[in-house]
Amino acid sequence: MIFVNLPTQDLSASDRFYSAMGFERNSAFSDENATAWMITPDIWVMSLADGFYKTFLRNDDAPGYGQGVRETLTCISCDSSAEVDDLARRAADTGGAVYRAPEEVMPGMYAGAVTDPDGHVWELVWMQSPGGGDAQVPTEESGE
């Protein structure tokens, strides 16, 4: 499993954003310090209140809140170009912003990026498979 831990200055604003993006909240791992959001059963976002987030840091590191050099760009694979557009709209409508407008970046690839209320970048990408359908992530079962 992957847990993306992100600091937030306003947990309520962060919660509104991730809820509107369609992620599922897990109340068993959420409280006044953090909210757990399931993107898929194996990928989670942990939105952590600033003070709580700092308890995980060492050497006087400070959260960047999306300022300065981007250490990571988290990417979500979408099922269609329409889903990319929909998520970008939802982000802009709920306290986030469009970081890079959705567009066809190359034949068969449609992408954009949004920021959450704290400036963390989420790329949104749909890729067409070589056969013309939606791209599928290779699995051990498929032998790819």
Side-chain angles (χ1 to χ4, degrees):
M1 294 178 72
I2 295 174
F3 292 87
V4 179
N5 295 293
L6 298 175
T8 182
Q9 296 175 344
D10 184 341
L11 191 58
S12 294
S14 181
D15 288 346
R16 285 189 301 276
F17 176 84
Y18 290 112
S19 176
M21 294 298 285
F23 302 161
E24 183 179 328
R25 184 179 185 272
N26 182 319
S27 59
F29 297 104
S30 301
D31 61 20
E32 69 279 355
N33 293 308
T35 308
W37 294 97
M38 183 177 70
I39 299 174
T40 72
D42 292 325
I43 302 174
W44 294 74
V45 174
M46 296 297 298
S47 185
L48 307 172
D50 182 57
F52 184 60
Y53 179 84
K54 287 178 181 176
T55 66
F56 295 92
L57 303 176
R58 302 297 180 265
N59 304 322
D60 296 322
D61 290 337
Y65 298 109
Q67 303 302 310
V69 176
R70 302 267 180 217
E71 185 174 313
T72 64
L73 296 173
T74 307
C75 181
I76 298 173
S77 178
C78 296
D79 291 332
S80 67
S81 58
E83 184 180 15
V84 171
D85 290 337
D86 181 54
L87 289 174
R89 180 193 50 75
R90 287 194 219 178
D93 289 348
T94 58
V98 174
Y99 180 74
R100 192 175 65 245
E103 64 178 343
E104 184 174 44
V105 294
M106 64 179 59
M109 179 183 240
Y110 189 80
V114 299
T115 59
D116 70 9
D118 291 292
H120 303 293
V121 176
W122 289 88
E123 290 188 299
L124 309 168
V125 177
W126 169 78
M127 293 183 290
Q128 188 175 40
S129 72
D134 292 338
Q136 298 297 314
V137 176
T139 65
E140 289 181 29
E141 294 81 29
S142 68
E144 297 177 12

